[in-house]
Amino acid sequence: MTAILNLFKKSDSKDTGLRGTAEGRLYVDKKVFYNRTEVREAIKNLKKSTAIKEQIEANRI
């Protein structure tokens, strides 16, 4: 009985935005990926980073 219930149980995992095609190729669903809070925080921290700002200024043409 538990095996049958496990088939219909909703997943508790978070949607990462990673998708697969019928051929087995993986791709990122950008709309879902960039709406994740941890991704937004990582991008925000990168924008505030002084090392990144220095690299951009050094490589600007």
Side-chain angles (χ1 to χ4, degrees), residues 13-27:
S13 64
K14 294 180 181 178
D15 187 8
T16 60
L18 187 64
R19 304 284 185 259
T21 63
E23 294 87 27
R25 295 182 182 159
L26 295 176
Y27 66 95

Side-chain angles (χ1 to χ4, degrees):
M1 184 67 180
T2 58
I4 294 172
L5 292 177
N6 286 340
L7 289 175
F8 298 107
K9 185 176 95 171
K10 287 189 176 183
S11 175
D12 291 336
S13 64
K14 294 180 181 178
D15 187 8
T16 60
L18 187 64
R19 304 284 185 259
T21 63
E23 294 87 27
R25 295 182 182 159
L26 295 176
Y27 66 95
V28 175
D29 184 357
K30 292 178 184 176
K31 186 175 183 181
V32 174
F33 181 75
Y34 288 112
N35 278 330
R36 295 181 62 192
T37 56
E38 53 271 4
V39 173
R40 286 180 178 250
E41 289 296 321
I43 292 171
K44 190 182 298 183
N45 290 336
L46 279 174
K47 286 182 179 179
K48 292 179 182 178
S49 172
T50 57
I52 298 296
K53 288 180 183 178
E54 290 172 357
Q55 287 293 321
I56 291 172
E57 289 298 322
N59 294 316
R60 189 171 281 178
I61 297 176

